[in-house]
Amino acid sequence: EVQLVQSGAEVKKPGVTVKISCKVSGSTFTDDYIHWIQQAPGKGLEWMGLVDPEDGEAIYAAKFQGRVTMTADTSTDTAYMELTNLRYEDTAVYYCATAEVYSGGSVAWYLDLWGRGTLVSVSS
Amino acid sequence: QPALTQPASVTGSPGQSITISCTGTTSDVGSYNLVSWYQQHPGKAPKLMIYEVNKRPSGVSYRFSASKSGNTASLTISGLQAEDEGDYYCCSYAGSSTVIFGGGTKLTVL
């Protein structure tokens, strides 16, 4: 069974950095893109970006560009999302989700498996 | 880039059908047959319900169907059941390896 296991909740002060992990089990880590999605309390889903574990290339949404770094460690089958210079409005649940990369190299642009989410609270 | 436009809420009675719209632009929904839909129950992670406009993943009820016309995609749920209540999000490929979500629709089953 494929599972995405995310790291636990974090409480951070404004201005610091948070790094969240997402461990993939039950599948080949490099067969999927890993996407990250933000959901603020009571709000909708917002796409933050993705990382391709095959080569480490990451694409970021304009809103988060400059503050977010997404990486993938193929030795531990774990993806990471680091968000710097935290603001109160970054308080949210952060989800990782997978999208299949087909054998021919084309990509599935839908998120078929999601982690349970990691709550990040930014508070002074 | 603004989110795809969805109605904030939709209400239906058990057994009825409802449709949720998702309006984008020629840069996303209108240009790609890569619209997906997600269901989210309170406190839970989203679940994929529809992908590539109208395909259902294994295990998703046949009561869920979807389509697209121009810049607008639609999700229809027939034979509404209490368990269908929750939030629904559309999502589209938006070019340059980016994705955009809709603002979400709260479905209430009365």
Side-chain angles (χ1 to χ4, degrees):
Chain A
E1 179 193 8
V2 183
Q3 284 189 317
L4 304 183
V5 179
Q6 296 189 227
S7 50
E10 304 260 12
V11 179
K12 295 291 186 180
K13 294 189 184 301
V16 304
T17 297
V18 69
K19 190 171 185 178
I20 300 168
S21 67
C22 171
K23 183 171 176 59
V24 179
S25 64
S27 70
T28 302
F29 186 54
T30 52
D31 280 353
D32 297 312
Y33 281 0
I34 305 295
H35 292 245
W36 290 90
I37 298 96
Q38 180 192 61
Q39 186 170 38
K43 302 296 185 183
L45 304 174
E46 184 151 19
W47 185 77
M48 300 179 70
L50 64 85
V51 61
D52 178 359
E54 178 73 33
D55 59 11
E57 181 181 3
I59 305 290
Y60 306 127
K63 175 180 178 179
F64 299 98
Q65 187 83 38
R67 284 207 303 140
V68 71
T69 303
M70 297 176 187
T71 57
D73 183 345
T74 56
S75 69
T76 59
D77 290 353
T78 302
Y80 297 91
M81 189 281 291
E82 182 177 84
L83 191 60
T84 62
N85 191 21
L86 286 171
R87 309 160 181 169
Y88 293 113
E89 54 266 36
D90 293 323
T91 293
V93 174
Y94 292 84
Y95 293 100
C96 61
T98 58
E100 185 178 358
V101 178
Y102 301 122
S103 56
S106 62
V107 177
W109 291 103
Y110 54 88
L111 307 175
D112 55 0
L113 185 66
W114 293 63
R116 291 190 173 184
T118 296
L119 174 63
V120 175
S121 300
V122 182
S123 172
S124 55
Chain B
Q1 185 174 6
L4 306 176
T5 301
Q6 297 183 232
S9 62
V10 170
T11 302
S13 300
Q16 285 187 334
S17 294
I18 63 94
T19 296
I20 299 171
S21 62
C22 168
T23 301
T25 69
T26 54
S27 297
D28 37 66
V29 175
S31 287
Y32 308 99
N33 289 324
L34 295 172
V35 177
S36 52
W37 290 88
Y38 302 85
Q39 175 193 64
Q40 186 179 34
H41 290 134
K44 301 295 187 181
K47 173 187 175 184
L48 177 67
M49 305 301 286
I50 296 286
Y51 66 99
E52 292 174 359
V53 176
N54 56 13
K55 299 177 182 177
R56 271 192 321 273
S58 173
V60 172
S61 171
Y62 67 92
R63 298 184 298 104
F64 290 82
S65 61
S67 62
K68 191 191 86 166
S69 178
N71 296 339
T72 299
S74 299
L75 173 71
T76 297
I77 309 174
S78 59
L80 268 180
Q81 299 179 359
E83 68 205 47
D84 299 331
E85 191 165 282
D87 296 324
Y88 289 82
Y89 295 91
C90 62
C91 180
S92 176
Y93 181 67
S96 302
S97 298
T98 66
V99 156
I100 186 169
F101 281 97
T105 297
K106 181 179 181 61
L107 170 63
T108 301
V109 180
L110 292 177

